[in-house]
Amino acid sequence: MNVALQVTCLNDSLFPDTARATLTLLRRLGVNVEVPLGQTCCAQPMINTGYLDEAVPVVRNFVDVFEGYDAVVTPSGSCTGCARHQHAIVARRSGDAALVAAVSSTAPTVYELSEFLVDVLGVTDVGAYFPHRVTYHPTCHSLRMVGVGDRPSRLLEAVRGIDLVELPQATECCGFGGTFAVKNSDTSVAMGSDKARHVRDTDAEVLVAGDSSCLMHIGGLLSRQQAGVRTMHLAEVLASTQVGS
Amino acid sequence: MSRTFVGMPPFPTAAAHALRDTQLRRNLAHATGTIRDKRAGVVAEVDDWEQLRVDGAAIKDHVLSRLDHYLVELEESLTRAGATVHWARDAAEANAIVATIAHAHDADEVVKVKSMATQEIGLNEALAEEGIAAWETDLAELIVQLGDDLPSHILVPAIHRNRAEIREIFAARMGDSGRAAPPDLSDAPADLAAAARLHLREKFLRAKVAVSGANFAVADSGTLVVVESEGNGRMCLTLPEVLISVVGIEKIVPTYDDLQVFLQLLPRSSTGERMNPYTSMWTGVTPGDGPQEVHVVLLDNGRSRALADEVGRQALRCIRCSACLNVCPVYERTGGHAYGSVYPGPIGAILNPLLKGTGVDAQTDSLPYASTLCGACFEACPVRIDIPEVLVHLRSKVVDGHRGDRRPKAEALAMKAASWTLSDSRRLDRALRTSGVARAALGRSRDRVSQTVPLPGAAAWTRARDLPLPAREPFRSWWRKQSGSES
């Protein structure tokens, strides 16, 4: 199977450990992953702020780079949702029939990491070891736009040594929302503060989620509050092993 | 008389004000949490809920695709049943029609059934200018009206008030417009309800004219439908001699049979009840029974504009259940007033710009951005309005409206720059190398910075949140080294 890793622009620039962990994990599971260096971003920052014209060349680059792979795996529910549902809107608006066709053939090959592991590789026990108290935040786009369901939880439950505790009001949005975090920063911070409070209530050492953007927001609040809670991407927990740790 | 939303600031400003009100946030979190749990429970009881949502959406879409046909059919069946049909293009026309009818009956007061359409057009304020007092009879609307307040929720307009505040309002204000509250009024819900009941009864028995909206209008029979919980609506619909119903043109369902879908969807979605306590249906005039003069004002007020928007028209499916408000994490923090409209929450964030048009004022243009696009509203909507999709669409209309600006906003310039950088990986490479240099300048030993950084929006971010520094080595640099790849 011809598999590509979509690193995501945020992981590339701010959280390279997440991309490295995804790569490590997939290789350990026997997947031969390519990392096309022509990739940049899924164009979500532009699309969700309403700059659809500005999104066109970025979407074009995305399909140019990823078209033809059997699967494109990304450690982001949000980028997966964007590729599956929003690229078509941008392509239609561009009036470029070739782009419309390329988007419709690429969109179904994009998988969020937990979907790829559970549905395509058919594994829930990825051989991870992570002896820490962990709580999991299901990010909105993973949950509602992509519909990953309980796949991340099943993967986490199979991790050896983990003490997985439930997050109160887990399915409520953390308040990141892309440029919402800046345009409506007061509301964003109010929502994120409630999320951070629920995280602290669990007494977890580590907050895990499948989107680095949400973790950046919640983690930024926890860090400012000196809450003593680390944030980690799901891929990093799943990549941890007894040997490597 | 109650205030209006005219002159409200854009959402971020109004929200910041609301967020500082700790009591408001507690009231809202408690109330929305309670309704949310109730709704989840009763929705789970219905095996074919998803099919009902699909059916509800399909019926509404069908009507919207042939609205001209169904409006003519409704007018004919209403007229046949003895009602008088009026057409109103906008708020001013609708208000003038209602005032003229009231004047014709020498009425200096009307009783009102809770209605979003009449709030949308500011009917109470317009009637007041004509010397006609409009009395709200829904308990929550009464609280808002007596408190000289603004509604903050579609279904529970006084959701932002707790019972102690309500007791204060009743004790201080009931006497101004009728029977005063008893001197020893407590804040027990039963006592508050009893005071409202006595106060309202006088108004029901006195009024010659009633004003209502309609939840549904059945095209083939000319039947109007109002669903409610308190029975005040039924009093208004049956006691006065004259009934005036202001009905948005999107409220049509083709036949009586179609109602069964919505009468299952609406109460469970709105109040979390299996069935609403009162369902009133009336078809024109019945000699010797109920109002002997029935007027129906069919209201456009921007609905044609919304209908012309291919992506946005799905908002006209809305049955005003307010399920989207109760699940919205933004609404739960800010309350309804921040949206500057009688339609708050996720549906208000799309309905207001669709009815008024984008580019009209900064307040309306701020609404499509009053969401994190978390999708909880779409999941809850009983007629499957894809609110996140419409929000993004309306954001693009707001952005497009500014493309000709002589001085583009900083955001537009940033997005253009991002588009240029992100449409070619070599440009991204260079940008990431630059950010590595910036990291060195900002302090190389720490993983997160909290001080101000020279990036657009950084100050709004770092006020309460730490910001991660650019990676010491971007992933692509690391990958290139370890794979020896130049591809």
Side-chain angles (χ1 to χ4, degrees):
Chain A
M1 191 168 45
N2 194 5
V3 179
L5 172 68
Q6 194 233 338
V7 175
T8 88
C9 60
L10 198 68
N11 288 329
D12 197 348
S13 58
L14 298 177
F15 305 105
D17 287 349
T18 296
R20 270 194 286 270
T22 311
L23 204 55
T24 305
L25 173 66
L26 291 171
R27 283 173 168 172
R28 197 173 75 215
L29 295 169
V31 182
N32 183 24
V33 197
E34 288 181 39
V35 185
L37 280 173
Q39 64 176 294
T40 57
C41 166
C42 68
Q44 192 183 183
M46 282 135 261
I47 298 171
N48 282 357
T49 316
Y51 290 82
L52 297 187
D53 286 351
E54 285 75 3
V56 173
V58 185
V59 170
R60 187 170 280 131
N61 186 71
F62 186 97
V63 293
D64 281 351
V65 169
F66 290 114
E67 199 180 14
Y69 286 97
D70 298 319
V72 180
V73 183
T74 179
S76 165
S78 173
C79 300
T80 307
C82 178
R84 279 195 203 158
H85 303 294
Q86 296 183 316
H87 281 186
I89 297 167
V90 174
R92 272 201 305 276
R93 176 167 158 126
S94 76
D96 177 348
L99 184 60
V100 173
V103 160
S104 69
S105 72
T106 308
T109 66
V110 180
Y111 291 91
E112 185 273 339
L113 177 63
S114 73
E115 285 182 315
F116 184 76
L117 296 174
V118 175
D119 298 356
V120 180
L121 299 186
V123 290
T124 47
D125 184 348
V126 297
Y129 172 75
F130 193 73
H132 300 281
R133 188 173 171 90
V134 167
T135 194
Y136 171 73
H137 167 61
T139 61
C140 298
H141 288 177
S142 296
L143 192 69
R144 303 195 183 88
M145 209 172 180
V146 176
V148 298
D150 65 353
R151 292 175 186 84
S153 302
R154 281 157 63 198
L155 288 159
L156 285 170
E157 279 159 14
V159 171
R160 268 169 281 291
I162 202 166
D163 176 12
L164 192 60
V165 287
E166 200 177 321
L167 180 65
Q169 299 184 36
T171 58
E172 189 171 278
C173 178
C174 70
F176 171 65
T179 44
F180 179 87
V182 172
K183 281 166 114 51
N184 281 285
S185 66
D186 292 290
T187 311
S188 172
V189 166
M191 292 165 69
S193 301
D194 286 346
K195 182 64 73 177
R197 176 163 47 85
H198 294 316
V199 172
R200 290 202 307 267
D201 285 348
T202 65
D203 235 356
E205 300 162 60
V206 184
L207 170 71
V208 172
D211 269 284
S212 297
S213 49
C214 307
L215 287 173
M216 179 172 76
H217 168 64
I218 310 169
L221 281 157
L222 288 167
S223 158
R224 182 65 62 86
Q225 294 167 5
Q226 303 184 332
V229 183
R230 270 191 297 158
T231 52
M232 278 175 85
H233 193 280
L234 177 68
E236 295 174 66
V237 174
L238 298 181
S240 303
T241 58
Q242 196 144 18
V243 180
S245 59
Chain B
M1 198 45 71
S2 53
R3 296 182 290 139
T4 67
F5 284 101
V6 175
M8 286 286 284
F11 185 83
T13 310
H17 179 74
L19 288 163
R20 282 193 288 273
D21 188 340
T22 312
Q23 183 66 58
L24 172 81
R25 279 182 61 187
R26 287 210 75 87
N27 293 352
L28 281 166
H30 174 73
T32 55
T34 306
I35 305 176
R36 223 165 29 224
D37 292 347
K38 256 181 90 181
R39 177 191 163 275
V42 295
V43 162
E45 294 171 353
V46 183
D47 293 336
D48 60 345
W49 183 255
E50 285 313 309
Q51 189 56 48
L52 281 171
R53 291 176 79 207
V54 170
D55 291 349
I59 293 168
K60 283 280 187 176
D61 278 351
H62 169 74
V63 169
L64 293 170
S65 71
R66 299 195 62 199
L67 193 57
D68 51 348
H69 161 82
Y70 283 114
L71 280 168
V72 171
E73 187 182 4
L74 178 66
E75 180 181 35
E76 286 169 359
S77 56
L78 279 168
T79 308
R80 201 163 50 237
T84 307
V85 175
H86 309 260
W87 297 87
R89 268 174 297 208
D90 56 22
E93 283 190 7
N95 289 331
I97 292 164
V98 177
T100 304
I101 299 166
H103 281 316
H105 292 273
D106 291 327
D108 59 3
E109 63 173 4
V110 300
V111 285
K112 285 188 68 203
V113 186
K114 179 175 168 9
S115 141
M116 294 310 295
T118 59
Q119 279 192 14
E120 175 190 323
I121 60 176
L123 178 68
N124 294 8
E125 295 75 22
L127 290 180
E129 285 188 13
E130 295 275 332
I132 302 163
W135 304 124
E136 295 291 349
T137 66
D138 172 82
L139 182 55
E141 292 288 2
L142 177 71
I143 294 163
V144 170
Q145 187 172 43
L146 291 176
D148 198 18
D149 198 358
L150 288 164
S152 65
H153 190 279
I154 290 175
L155 195 81
V156 198
I159 195 168
H160 56 294
R161 298 290 202 181
N162 62 30
R163 63 192 203 195
E165 293 172 292
I166 294 166
R167 194 206 77 86
E168 289 298 314
I169 293 167
F170 279 9
R173 304 299 296 276
M174 266 184 173
D176 299 346
S177 63
R179 182 176 178 136
D184 58 345
L185 181 66
S186 83
D187 67 359
D191 287 352
L192 295 172
R197 193 183 176 92
L198 291 171
H199 176 83
L200 288 169
R201 179 140 308 195
E202 284 187 359
K203 290 175 173 169
F204 290 135
L205 294 172
R206 199 170 60 213
K208 297 277 179 289
V209 178
V211 176
S212 83
N215 292 96
F216 306 101
V218 182
D220 74 346
S221 63
T223 304
L224 298 183
V225 184
V226 160
V227 297
E228 44 140 356
S229 296
E230 297 165 13
N232 61 301
R234 181 160 296 177
M235 300 285 266
C236 295
L237 296 168
T238 51
L239 286 172
E241 296 160 16
V242 179
L243 173 61
I244 311 167
S245 303
V246 181
V247 182
I249 55 174
E250 83 286 15
K251 291 285 172 188
I252 296 180
V253 294
T255 69
Y256 211 83
D257 265 358
D258 297 311
L259 283 177
Q260 58 92 12
V261 173
F262 298 103
L263 293 182
Q264 292 180 75
L265 288 170
L266 182 54
R268 285 181 200 259
S269 300
S270 57
T271 49
E273 290 167 306
R274 297 181 180 91
M275 188 75 220
N276 50 287
Y278 295 87
T279 303
S280 300
M281 305 191 186
W282 68 104
T283 308
V285 175
T286 306
D289 184 16
Q292 294 302 293
E293 196 176 313
V294 171
H295 295 268
V296 180
V297 184
L298 293 172
L299 175 74
D300 187 322
N301 205 35
R303 285 157 178 77
S304 296
R305 182 202 303 277
L307 189 63
D309 186 311
E310 275 180 45
V311 180
R313 73 175 57 132
Q314 57 184 306
L316 294 178
R317 288 184 206 148
C318 176
I319 54 174
R320 311 286 190 259
C321 72
S322 66
C324 63
L325 276 60
N326 300 328
V327 299
C328 178
V330 173
Y331 176 89
E332 185 183 327
R333 302 304 180 306
T334 65
H337 293 162
Y339 295 80
S341 158
V342 296
Y343 299 118
I347 189 64
I350 61 172
L351 205 52
N352 290 302
L354 285 165
L355 294 177
K356 293 182 198 166
T358 50
V360 176
D361 57 53
Q363 198 277 329
T364 310
D365 281 2
S366 73
L367 293 177
Y369 292 94
S371 164
T372 61
L373 307 177
C374 81
C377 49
F378 181 25
E379 199 174 60
C381 179
V383 286
R384 291 185 55 88
I385 301 169
D386 189 341
I387 296 177
E389 180 194 21
V390 181
L391 285 166
V392 171
H393 166 72
L394 290 170
R395 289 176 187 187
S396 79
K397 295 191 81 165
V398 171
V399 166
D400 290 347
H402 287 282
R403 288 197 183 275
D405 287 2
R406 280 203 299 162
R407 280 206 292 175
K409 287 194 294 183
E411 177 190 273
L413 295 172
M415 286 296 172
K416 272 194 175 36
S419 172
W420 187 81
T421 306
L422 295 172
S423 54
D424 184 317
S425 63
R426 282 161 301 186
R427 294 176 194 152
L428 178 61
D429 277 344
R430 278 198 295 278
L432 290 180
R433 275 200 294 275
T434 312
S435 69
V437 175
R439 178 194 171 107
L442 287 166
R444 65 203 67 161
S445 63
R446 296 160 64 195
D447 282 337
R448 292 176 185 276
V449 282
S450 55
Q451 70 268 39
T452 310
V453 286
L455 288 170
W461 181 281
T462 55
R463 203 170 38 77
R465 293 162 285 206
D466 286 350
L467 190 67
L469 282 169
R472 286 187 179 84
E473 185 178 36
F475 178 82
R476 57 181 56 240
S477 309
W478 172 84
W479 171 257
R480 198 174 272 132
K481 266 195 269 175
Q482 79 109 49
S483 67
S485 160
E486 276 304 315
S487 63

